[in-house]
Amino acid sequence: ARSIQPELSKKLGAELIIKNIAGASGTIGTAEAARAKPDGYTILITPTGPMTTQPHLRKIPYGLDSFAPVGRIAVAPVMMMVPKTSKLQTLNDVIETAKANPGKLKFASSGAGTLPHIAILALNKAAGVDTKHIPYKGSANAMKALLGGEVDVFSDMAQLVPKYDVHPVISWTKARNPEFPNVASMKEGGFDFEMINWVGMYAPKATPDDVVAKLAEALEAAIQEPSVKEALEKLRVKPGHLGPVEFGKFAAGDSDRNRELLAEAGLLAK
């Protein structure tokens, strides 16, 4: 939000005030945005989880249909990683080890229902393997467990690879990550799906179409500005703009996939 705030303010000709509302995996702030007056003066900037995962995990007073998509802002590719000393150097190593040891290969996540957990469920289903999920409180604790030998594999944002000096096994993307040109993509590994963290902008559902269009136009223009691209790069995320229609379809696809995977794992809210 702070990365695009200055330029978005200029494009809209209005001061933007950021209200950071934390708690309950982002659902408190998201619920507040869903209740806001749909006049274009309250917009939501949110990552993936509160929109495409949390509504399936718990009973909360909103869903994707509580919002009008304005646009996707940025993306952060996910990487599967292991310690450099691990024998699991390739995706095939991981899958073959999992097949040979059902329920024993330990995958860390940053919490139940997080994208790293969704990634585990997706691989289990696609590869026909059974792995052991070990949830931790946040990525830092999961990385500590990985480096300490408590778990075998962890998938999270690619920026963690150089930060913790671990081995990148495969990029959870359809094309190779330019920052890791020697690391194969999941599609090259034989699986035509991807896992990416994204950040997007929404308005409350009943916001007039012309207001959404004005916000979308300003957002697209702001993302093109060099200062915004530079600010996003400093956060180790990439500009990943999609317009309202494309973003709506993209987020709905993520939500449907996550719901199916969580249902198969018995984790849907009752």
Side-chain angles (χ1 to χ4, degrees), residues 179-196:
E179 293 186 11
F180 299 88
N182 296 323
V183 180
S185 68
M186 188 60 74
K187 188 169 184 178
E188 290 176 286
F191 302 100
D192 193 19
F193 62 84
E194 60 183 358
M195 294 285 166
I196 57 173

Side-chain angles (χ1 to χ4, degrees), residues 235-247:
L235 296 174
R236 305 296 292 270
V237 299
K238 302 178 182 300
H241 178 261
L242 290 177
V245 175
E246 295 85 358
F247 179 41

Side-chain angles (χ1 to χ4, degrees), residues 121-122 124-126 257-268:
L121 297 177
N124 286 351
K125 180 179 180 180
R257 176 202 66 200
N258 293 350
R259 186 186 189 285
E260 180 181 341
L261 291 170
L262 291 168
E264 291 176 356
L267 295 175
L268 287 186

Side-chain angles (χ1 to χ4, degrees), residues 5-28:
Q5 180 187 23
E7 288 298 337
L8 190 57
S9 293
K10 292 178 185 177
K11 306 303 181 189
L12 291 171
E15 181 184 5
L16 294 182
I17 299 172
I18 295 175
K19 185 178 181 181
N20 184 30
I21 304 175
S25 301
T27 60
I28 293 176

